[in-house]
Amino acid sequence: MKRVSPGVVRAALITLSGFVLLYLTAQLVLFDAQSDAWTVQVAVLSMILIIGQFGLLRLYFGTIYLFSNIFVISIAVFHLGYVVLDATGWQPIEAFHKGDMAIWYQSAGWYICLAIASFLLGAAIGLRKRGLYQDSPLQIKHNMQRMFAMGNGVLLASLFGIVLLINTVGNIFLYSRQQLYAGIGDMRGLGLVLAILPTGLIMLACCATTRMERTWAYACAFLATVLILFLGERSYVMFPLLTGAVIWHKLGRKIPKVVAAVGIAVAVFVIPVISILRSLGPYAELESRHLRDAVEHGNVKSAVMEVGGVLTLVGNVIRWVPEEEPYRVGETYAKAMLEIVPNVGLSNSRSTRAEAKKMLGGMTIDPRSLRPADWYIFKINRWMFEHGGGSGFSIIAEAYMNFGLAGVVFVFIMLGILLMKLDLKDLRYDYIALFCAIVFIWPLLKTVRNDILSFVKPVSLCLWTVLIWQLFSYFLPSTRRHMTVARQP
């Protein structure tokens, strides 16, 4: 396939995103009338943007396995699933067209398209001619060995988290998901495992070079995937797998189309099944009929209904801000950055939700004291808030609640620029870029249906873990020889 010059692709991306941004800005600022066909318009417009991005970037990169693509497709799947169901008539959603919330859901649809178009513009701004790297098999080998050794270090830290969890809570499979997050004990061990284990598994699986290393890496990945799914933590499997697939391809390996298709089919089946199982209670109390009922829901429609409703969350945030509450003006981002230093004390630190629950006995709670995900569930379902439940959040909603329309545009333009810069790197030779891709991308994908804290915590915990491992491994002869890497071009 003949590659098209970056200048041509950049011009096409800017033209496409520019026209769409002008249209969407007019819709949001000048026209606010309710339209019965808005779901069709949003579905078509978002499809044009996504197909345009995939197609145009493929003309330059020669592949669709890009960090920019998996980010946009994650946004679309979680935010526009309900829109597609309604637009196609597969599952009409009456609330989108009737009632007090209909106009807000329509605005949310336009904001989601605005975010995708802004990201596309950012990707166009960041697109440049790829740098040339001197072919050096020795450097590739050094990079892979060093990253694989680091993956073992992260895995070791994960085992420490498992031991801590067992010591403080016991067998977590004896509890339902709701019980786990309602406060049965010190859950820092589970938090540590979920934050760093996916990163370690990507390091192992993508950077194994020998048969023995591959056997070890794939066995660990399979076992961990099964255990995490049984915990009901689907996002800690889906997003690392997406990230790992792109990194795998960028390291010069191929993913057969059959394997990709089977992976998608399994995901479509697993998503609704796990959702039902995790809501039924402890696994020890489940019966065969529960499993049969869950398996019956393993289909495309159920999967979309399970994950595709984040637009309704965005609609509620737009309704509340700034009408009921003022813009946060960056406050949620600043508070999240305070979590960079992990809690390593003997006592479990209280989250903002835990502090709020202490105050429910008559005192007034300041909603601004809550992280966005807790703030949302506090406003929408007080009972679920008090019993450890949640509904996640959205990177689009958080950008809006901080800075409004301008915040959505700015955040997504910057994300487009940054992810495109990473896509332009050759991960085989650029060790720093490979490290950033493994550590930063899958937590970033989690923010498509959660707040910024779900990015900051895993990244910060992983960086601290890697720092400790680097200091420790410096004194190990078996790993010290991999510490020197050839100069980056």
Side-chain angles (χ1 to χ4, degrees):
M1 177 180 176
K2 186 178 180 180
R3 305 290 177 85
V4 177
S5 70
V8 173
V9 175
R10 188 188 310 119
L13 290 172
I14 291 175
T15 301
L16 174 60
S17 59
F19 276 118
V20 173
L21 281 171
L22 289 175
Y23 172 76
L24 291 171
T25 302
Q27 287 287 346
L28 289 167
V29 176
L30 302 179
F31 311 111
D32 59 357
Q34 176 70 27
S35 170
D36 289 335
W38 73 265
T39 56
V40 175
Q41 296 170 7
V42 169
V44 170
L45 196 57
S46 60
M47 193 65 65
I48 291 173
L49 288 169
I50 294 171
I51 293 176
Q53 173 176 318
F54 273 60
L56 289 170
L57 292 182
R58 187 174 185 274
L59 291 176
Y60 179 62
F61 288 97
T63 180
I64 62 171
Y65 286 95
L66 302 171
F67 299 121
S68 302
N69 286 346
I70 61 172
F71 179 76
V72 164
I73 205 67
S74 297
I75 288 286
V77 167
F78 283 91
H79 287 78
L80 297 175
Y82 282 15
V83 170
V84 172
L85 290 177
D86 184 85
T88 58
W90 197 2
Q91 178 65 56
I93 300 175
E94 185 177 357
F96 280 179
H97 307 283
K98 297 180 181 179
D100 295 338
M101 283 302 300
I103 188 67
W104 300 108
Y105 291 150
Q106 175 178 302
S107 294
W110 295 130
Y111 268 101
I112 293 165
C113 287
L114 182 78
I116 296 174
S118 300
F119 181 87
L120 201 60
L121 178 60
I125 295 171
L127 184 60
R128 294 290 185 271
K129 186 176 180 180
R130 303 185 75 175
L132 297 177
Y133 293 81
Q134 183 179 358
D135 187 23
S136 175
L138 182 60
Q139 183 184 12
I140 296 176
K141 182 180 178 181
H142 272 292
N143 289 347
M144 296 301 103
Q145 289 176 334
R146 185 180 177 187
M147 192 63 71
F148 186 84
M150 187 182 295
N152 280 311
V154 175
L155 185 63
L156 184 63
S158 301
L159 292 177
F160 170 77
I162 293 174
V163 172
L164 176 63
L165 178 65
I166 294 174
N167 185 56
T168 55
V169 177
N171 184 1
I172 59 176
F173 292 103
L174 295 178
Y175 302 94
S176 68
R177 177 179 170 82
Q178 180 178 319
Q179 289 172 327
L180 284 176
Y181 292 97
I184 61 171
D186 188 344
M187 297 294 291
R188 285 179 294 173
L190 180 60
L192 175 64
V193 172
L194 293 177
I196 67 175
L197 181 56
T199 300
L201 294 175
I202 296 173
M203 290 176 174
L204 293 177
C206 290
C207 300
T209 55
T210 67
R211 178 178 296 181
M212 183 178 295
E213 288 177 349
R214 286 192 290 269
T215 301
W216 167 248
Y218 302 159
C220 290
F222 177 77
L223 179 61
T225 296
V226 172
L227 292 177
I228 293 174
L229 282 176
F230 272 110
L231 283 174
E233 299 290 353
R234 299 162 304 179
S235 63
Y236 288 95
V237 172
M238 290 188 300
F239 295 131
L241 279 177
L242 274 176
T243 303
V246 174
I247 293 173
W248 180 274
H249 192 277
K250 283 179 171 288
L251 290 176
R253 295 142 182 176
K254 301 297 181 182
I255 300 177
K257 294 180 181 178
V258 174
V259 174
V262 170
I264 294 173
V266 170
V268 167
F269 173 79
V270 167
I271 288 172
V273 170
I274 293 297
S275 174
I276 293 174
L277 288 178
R278 73 179 185 175
S279 66
L280 293 176
Y283 286 112
E285 300 177 5
L286 298 184
E287 302 175 359
S288 58
R289 62 183 177 85
H290 293 136
L291 182 59
R292 287 196 301 270
D293 292 341
V295 170
E296 289 177 359
H297 287 80
N299 55 66
V300 175
K301 184 177 179 180
S302 297
V304 175
M305 289 295 294
E306 173 62 27
V307 304
V310 181
L311 176 141
T312 59
L313 182 154
V314 178
N316 278 311
V317 173
I318 295 172
R319 175 167 67 97
W320 294 330
V321 180
E323 185 69 24
E324 297 180 11
E325 297 189 23
Y327 292 115
R328 299 293 181 89
V329 198
E331 184 179 348
T332 67
Y333 299 125
K335 285 185 175 180
M337 295 305 294
L338 298 177
E339 300 289 334
I340 289 179
V341 179
N343 173 29
V344 294
L346 296 178
S347 60
N348 187 15
S349 62
R350 290 186 175 272
S351 65
T352 56
R353 181 186 293 211
E355 293 291 350
K357 287 167 67 176
K358 283 185 62 180
M359 300 170 60
L360 283 174
M363 297 181 66
T364 301
I365 297 175
D366 179 10
R368 295 176 70 95
S369 66
L370 300 171
R371 60 178 288 192
D374 291 342
W375 166 80
Y376 181 79
I377 200 63
F378 176 79
K379 290 182 70 71
I380 204 76
N381 190 326
R382 188 69 59 87
W383 183 92
M384 188 177 290
F385 173 86
E386 294 177 14
H387 290 81
S391 59
F393 206 62
S394 160
I395 188 173
I396 299 174
E398 186 160 8
Y400 174 85
M401 77 182 295
N402 278 282
F403 300 106
L405 185 149
V408 175
V409 173
F410 176 78
V411 167
F412 277 82
I413 286 178
M414 294 305 300
L415 285 172
I417 293 173
L418 293 174
L419 289 184
M420 179 53 63
K421 292 294 185 184
L422 189 57
D423 275 323
L424 290 170
K425 301 291 185 180
D426 191 327
L427 302 187
R428 297 172 301 168
Y429 300 103
D430 196 325
Y431 179 80
I432 299 300
L434 175 61
F435 177 81
C436 290
I438 294 174
V439 173
F440 289 92
I441 294 299
W442 77 262
L444 176 64
L445 296 181
K446 275 182 59 65
T447 64
V448 303
R449 61 114 48 255
N450 218 313
D451 55 35
I452 192 64
L453 194 59
S454 67
F455 169 80
V456 172
K457 276 195 170 182
V459 169
S460 61
L461 282 170
C462 189
L463 292 178
W464 282 107
T465 301
V466 168
L467 176 61
I468 293 171
W469 170 253
Q470 291 291 83
L471 294 174
F472 174 73
S473 63
Y474 181 79
F475 299 99
L476 298 179
S478 60
T479 57
R480 186 174 180 178
R481 65 175 180 268
H482 301 314
M483 295 293 289
T484 303
V485 182
R487 182 185 300 273
Q488 302 293 335

